[in-house]
Structures are given as structure tokens and as C-alpha cells.
Amino acid sequence: MTLAWITLAAAIVTSLVGQVLLKSGAAGSVAASGSLLDQLFRWQTIIGLGAYGGAALLYIIALRRIPMSIALPCTAASYVVIALVGWSMFGESLGPQKIAAIGLICAGVVLLATTA
């Protein structure tokens, strides 16, 4: 595995962490006063936004060696993981239709990643 692919994987993981933190910040603000301003200044939201920024930088580095037509679809792997995280951590639904969609996403990511 080349350094570019490791960097792309790190970008995807960092983005996932950011997504979970943003959801945590949003969930916490509902329990509190629920205002957008409160949500923006929760520590989870601030760190989540920072993680997104870091993910963007890692993605830019990965694009130096990986074609965009392959790198961007590979980020779809995060949809699979985030659906499972949403189900396990936040009680979001995960029915047969979502599971089928996850299977299709996985197949597409594998197909694209192997064309590099």
C-alpha cells in the first residue's frame, strides 16, 4: 500500500471522526437549550469541524498521487461505516433497504479502487 493510499484512508477515518463528533454536538444541543449557537460552541462541534479540516488536508495530499476519479468514490466507504456507527451509537434505523445500499456501495468502492 503506497503512502498516497494510506493518506486517503487517514482522510476518510478523520472525516468519520468529525462526522461522529458533529452528530454528538447536535444531539447534545437538543438536550440543552437547542439553539444553533449553543451547538456551534460545544466542544464536540468545534473538534468535529477541526477534524473535517484535517480530513480535507489529507485528501488534498492523497490527490497528488491518486486520480480524483478514483479517490472521491473511495470516500464512499465512509457511508458504510457511518451508517453502522449511526445505528450502534445513535439508535438510527438500519433496515433491509439501507443494508442493500451499503452492499452496493461496497461493491462500487472495491471495483473502482481496483482499477487504479
Side-chain angles (χ1 to χ4, degrees), residues 12 15-16 19 52 72-86 94 98 101-102 105-106 109:
I12 293 168
S15 175
L16 286 168
Q19 188 66 243
Y52 265 152
L72 184 60
C74 286
T75 64
S78 67
Y79 300 152
V80 174
V81 176
I82 211 64
L84 297 172
V85 169
L94 188 63
K98 279 188 183 177
I102 287 170
I105 290 169
C106 289
V109 168

Side-chain angles (χ1 to χ4, degrees), residues 20 81-94:
V20 171
V81 176
I82 211 64
L84 297 172
V85 169
W87 171 74
S88 66
M89 289 181 64
F90 300 107
E92 297 178 0
S93 67
L94 188 63

Side-chain angles (χ1 to χ4, degrees), residues 1-19:
M1 185 178 243
T2 67
L3 184 59
W5 284 100
I6 293 170
T7 305
L8 180 60
I12 293 168
V13 169
T14 304
S15 175
L16 286 168
V17 169
Q19 188 66 243

Side-chain angles (χ1 to χ4, degrees), residues 8-61:
L8 180 60
I12 293 168
V13 169
T14 304
S15 175
L16 286 168
V17 169
Q19 188 66 243
V20 171
L21 287 168
L22 290 176
K23 176 66 176 179
S24 296
S29 67
V30 171
S33 69
S35 77
L36 179 61
L37 196 57
D38 286 341
Q39 180 181 349
L40 287 175
F41 289 105
R42 291 183 57 82
W43 68 267
Q44 296 97 326
T45 303
I46 293 168
I47 295 173
L49 290 171
Y52 265 152
L57 291 174
L58 290 167
Y59 183 70
I60 290 167
I61 293 167

